[in-house]
mmCIF file of all heavy atoms in Angstrom:
data_model
loop_
_atom_site.group_PDB
_atom_site.id
_atom_site.type_symbol
_atom_site.label_atom_id
_atom_site.label_comp_id
_atom_site.label_asym_id
_atom_site.label_seq_id
_atom_site.Cartn_x
_atom_site.Cartn_y
_atom_site.Cartn_z
ATOM 1 N N ASN A 70 1.754 3.990 1.146
ATOM 2 C CA ASN A 70 1.824 2.888 2.071
ATOM 3 C C ASN A 70 3.199 2.243 2.162
ATOM 4 O O ASN A 70 3.547 1.636 3.192
ATOM 5 C CB ASN A 70 0.756 1.829 1.742
ATOM 6 C CG ASN A 70 0.916 1.178 0.378
ATOM 7 O OD1 ASN A 70 1.470 1.747 -0.539
ATOM 8 N ND2 ASN A 70 0.347 -0.015 0.251
ATOM 9 N N LYS A 71 4.024 2.335 1.098
ATOM 10 C CA LYS A 71 5.319 1.646 1.155
ATOM 11 C C LYS A 71 6.275 2.292 2.137
ATOM 12 O O LYS A 71 7.209 1.633 2.617
ATOM 13 C CB LYS A 71 5.992 1.630 -0.218
ATOM 14 C CG LYS A 71 5.070 1.166 -1.340
ATOM 15 C CD LYS A 71 4.518 -0.200 -1.097
ATOM 16 C CE LYS A 71 3.610 -0.598 -2.283
ATOM 17 N NZ LYS A 71 2.869 -1.830 -2.057
ATOM 18 N N LYS A 74 6.255 0.427 5.348
ATOM 19 C CA LYS A 74 7.011 -0.830 5.241
ATOM 20 C C LYS A 74 8.515 -0.517 5.249
ATOM 21 O O LYS A 74 9.294 -1.151 5.915
ATOM 22 C CB LYS A 74 6.655 -1.559 3.959
ATOM 23 C CG LYS A 74 5.191 -1.999 3.802
ATOM 24 C CD LYS A 74 5.018 -2.740 2.487
ATOM 25 C CE LYS A 74 3.616 -3.075 2.137
ATOM 26 N NZ LYS A 74 3.458 -3.771 0.844
ATOM 27 N N ASN A 99 4.339 3.211 -7.604
ATOM 28 C CA ASN A 99 4.507 4.064 -6.416
ATOM 29 C C ASN A 99 5.554 3.459 -5.492
ATOM 30 O O ASN A 99 6.246 4.186 -4.788
ATOM 31 C CB ASN A 99 3.194 4.161 -5.659
ATOM 32 C CG ASN A 99 2.095 4.749 -6.472
ATOM 33 O OD1 ASN A 99 2.167 5.923 -6.851
ATOM 34 N ND2 ASN A 99 1.101 3.952 -6.806
ATOM 35 N N CYS A 214 -7.259 -1.125 -0.976
ATOM 36 C CA CYS A 214 -6.880 -1.861 -2.186
ATOM 37 C C CYS A 214 -5.672 -2.736 -1.885
ATOM 38 O O CYS A 214 -4.804 -2.367 -1.096
ATOM 39 C CB CYS A 214 -6.616 -0.922 -3.339
ATOM 40 S SG CYS A 214 -5.321 0.223 -3.055
ATOM 41 N N GLY A 216 -2.631 -5.581 -3.499
ATOM 42 C CA GLY A 216 -1.962 -5.987 -4.737
ATOM 43 C C GLY A 216 -0.885 -7.003 -4.479
ATOM 44 O O GLY A 216 -1.063 -8.206 -4.646
ATOM 45 N N SER A 217 0.318 -6.532 -4.022
ATOM 46 C CA SER A 217 1.360 -7.497 -3.747
ATOM 47 C C SER A 217 1.197 -8.167 -2.379
ATOM 48 O O SER A 217 1.842 -9.174 -2.132
ATOM 49 C CB SER A 217 2.755 -6.848 -3.895
ATOM 50 O OG SER A 217 2.957 -5.882 -2.905
ATOM 51 N N GLY A 218 0.329 -7.627 -1.542
ATOM 52 C CA GLY A 218 -0.218 -8.399 -0.443
ATOM 53 C C GLY A 218 0.236 -8.085 0.971
ATOM 54 O O GLY A 218 -0.479 -8.402 1.934
ATOM 55 N N ALA A 219 1.403 -7.439 1.178
ATOM 56 C CA ALA A 219 1.882 -7.303 2.554
ATOM 57 C C ALA A 219 1.094 -6.257 3.349
ATOM 58 O O ALA A 219 1.042 -6.335 4.575
ATOM 59 C CB ALA A 219 3.365 -6.982 2.585
ATOM 60 N N THR A 220 0.505 -5.304 2.664
ATOM 61 C CA THR A 220 -0.315 -4.328 3.410
ATOM 62 C C THR A 220 -1.464 -5.059 4.057
ATOM 63 O O THR A 220 -1.679 -4.984 5.299
ATOM 64 C CB THR A 220 -0.843 -3.226 2.440
ATOM 65 O OG1 THR A 220 0.288 -2.537 1.880
ATOM 66 C CG2 THR A 220 -1.764 -2.262 3.159
ATOM 67 N N TYR A 310 -4.720 2.167 -8.079
ATOM 68 C CA TYR A 310 -4.830 1.538 -6.737
ATOM 69 C C TYR A 310 -6.005 2.128 -5.952
ATOM 70 O O TYR A 310 -7.064 1.516 -5.828
ATOM 71 C CB TYR A 310 -3.519 1.719 -5.983
ATOM 72 C CG TYR A 310 -2.370 0.918 -6.548
ATOM 73 C CD1 TYR A 310 -1.434 1.545 -7.400
ATOM 74 C CD2 TYR A 310 -2.209 -0.400 -6.289
ATOM 75 C CE1 TYR A 310 -0.383 0.827 -7.912
ATOM 76 C CE2 TYR A 310 -1.172 -1.155 -6.839
ATOM 77 C CZ TYR A 310 -0.243 -0.527 -7.641
ATOM 78 O OH TYR A 310 0.782 -1.247 -8.174
ATOM 79 N N THR A 338 -4.113 4.361 0.588
ATOM 80 C CA THR A 338 -2.729 3.893 0.492
ATOM 81 C C THR A 338 -1.831 4.820 -0.353
ATOM 82 O O THR A 338 -0.654 4.523 -0.523
ATOM 83 C CB THR A 338 -2.717 2.484 -0.150
ATOM 84 O OG1 THR A 338 -3.594 2.502 -1.269
ATOM 85 C CG2 THR A 338 -3.184 1.434 0.846
ATOM 86 N N GLY A 339 -2.397 5.915 -0.868
ATOM 87 C CA GLY A 339 -1.572 6.843 -1.643
ATOM 88 C C GLY A 339 -1.698 6.621 -3.115
ATOM 89 O O GLY A 339 -2.694 6.119 -3.624
HETATM 90 C C1 PLP B 430 -1.032 3.344 -3.930
HETATM 91 C C2 PLP B 430 -0.935 1.904 -3.638
HETATM 92 N N1 PLP B 430 -1.956 1.356 -2.957
HETATM 93 C C3 PLP B 430 -1.950 0.054 -2.655
HETATM 94 C C4 PLP B 430 -0.906 -0.791 -3.008
HETATM 95 C C5 PLP B 430 -1.005 -2.219 -2.679
HETATM 96 O O1 PLP B 430 -0.294 -2.556 -1.534
HETATM 97 P P1 PLP B 430 0.312 -4.010 -1.454
HETATM 98 O O2 PLP B 430 1.237 -4.128 -2.596
HETATM 99 O O3 PLP B 430 1.004 -4.058 -0.110
HETATM 100 O O4 PLP B 430 -0.804 -4.993 -1.547
HETATM 101 C C6 PLP B 430 0.152 -0.214 -3.729
HETATM 102 C C7 PLP B 430 1.266 -1.119 -4.157
HETATM 103 O O5 PLP B 430 2.004 -0.881 -5.022
HETATM 104 C C8 PLP B 430 0.169 1.147 -4.040
HETATM 105 O O6 PLP B 430 1.142 1.731 -4.721
#
Side-chain angles (χ1 to χ4, degrees):
N70 62 335
K71 311 303 179 188
K74 299 181 187 178
N99 300 294
C214 60
S217 66
T220 298
Y310 292 99
T338 46

